[in-house]
Amino acid sequence: MNLLVLGPQGAGKGTQAKRIAADYDLPHISTGDRFRAEIASGTEFGQRVQGILAAGELVPDELTIGKLREWIHAEGQDGFVLDGFPRNLAQAEALDTMLRELGKELDAILFFDLPDDVATQRMLKRAQEENRADDTPDVIARRLEIYHAETEPIVEHYRATGKLVPLHADRSIEEVYTEIQQALQRFEDAA
Ligand code: AMP
């Protein structure tokens, strides 16, 4: 299964994506997690993007798309859960091309919908728990601004595929996960 999780920061995408990956035995390819890992291990790439992540801006498309291509080719041959990519239309189109080249397509796009005030509260809470450099109030506001301006428009790109699964993310982890499982079962039954 080739899955994508989409939605604002704080919507629980990462938590659900990890759980889906474990239950369905798929690699979890999270651009944010992998960028943070590169920063933590001090790679050249990590040093290059550290300031960008700390400011809440997007890593330039050519860098991000290059990395994603590497990861999909290395790990995504038998399915994946993609988390944090695409973040704009150019990345969505690059992903379409990449998957077409590999003879693959997305099976479902899980769209986590969440009001901004709830997303902000959840990110501030996570800031205390995880001590992330980009969970300060100013940077959170900037990340949500970028989300609405650049990422949200790609929801329509995916709605047009008929594979978008809208989820109300303002509920418990369990409730959202149950709905995800039901949606994935429907896609599997239809396949
Ligand atoms: P996340 O953990 O998904 O919120 O990502 C953390 C940060 O990593 C973002 O604020 C961006 O700086 C960077 N990032 C993650 N994914 C992407 C992407 N697809 N394109 C550009 N930058 C990204």
Side-chain angles (χ1 to χ4, degrees):
M1 233 173 355
N2 304 322
L3 303 176
L4 192 76
V5 296
L6 189 64
Q9 298 83 354
K13 293 189 306 289
T15 304
Q16 301 287 359
K18 285 191 187 96
R19 191 157 170 189
I20 298 165
D23 285 356
Y24 294 80
D25 195 22
L26 299 166
H28 175 219
I29 303 181
S30 158
T31 46
D33 283 357
R34 288 172 185 224
F35 290 168
R36 281 185 289 277
E38 297 244 12
I39 292 169
S41 38
T43 65
E44 197 186 328
F45 181 90
Q47 290 175 18
R48 217 164 143 189
V49 303
Q50 185 161 22
I52 299 174
L53 266 83
E57 302 293 333
L58 293 185
V59 172
D61 284 345
E62 62 277 16
L63 293 182
T64 305
I65 292 168
K67 282 286 181 189
L68 203 268
R69 178 182 297 278
E70 263 175 44
W71 295 328
I72 291 273
H73 277 257
E75 301 164 51
Q77 300 295 343
D78 297 322
F80 52 80
V81 186
L82 190 52
D83 172 7
F85 185 102
R87 283 288 228 272
N88 58 31
L89 212 47
Q91 294 185 6
E93 286 168 357
L95 179 64
D96 289 345
T97 307
M98 218 181 286
L99 293 178
R100 208 177 307 124
E101 283 166 6
L102 291 168
K104 297 181 186 303
E105 55 180 52
L106 293 172
D107 293 300
I109 297 95
L110 305 173
F111 171 47
F112 293 71
D113 208 0
L114 193 70
D116 275 4
D117 54 337
V118 182
T120 302
Q121 287 313 315
R122 288 196 185 171
M123 281 192 274
L124 286 169
K125 187 159 170 270
R126 185 171 70 186
Q128 292 167 345
E129 290 164 4
E130 295 179 14
N131 198 20
R132 268 176 64 156
D134 58 352
D135 274 345
T136 64
D138 282 357
V139 178
I140 287 171
R142 176 67 187 139
R143 288 162 67 210
L144 281 175
E145 186 180 43
I146 294 177
Y147 173 76
H148 290 302
E150 300 199 35
T151 310
E152 210 168 29
I154 67 180
V155 173
E156 296 315 315
H157 176 85
Y158 288 122
R159 204 187 299 276
T161 66
K163 295 175 183 170
L164 191 79
V165 180
L167 300 160
H168 290 289
D170 189 7
R171 292 176 303 162
S172 73
I173 293 175
E174 282 309 318
E175 283 172 306
V176 176
Y177 193 66
T178 301
E179 205 174 318
I180 291 172
Q181 284 177 308
Q182 289 166 350
L184 296 183
Q185 189 63 51
R186 282 198 301 277
F187 280 103
E188 280 185 341
D189 290 347

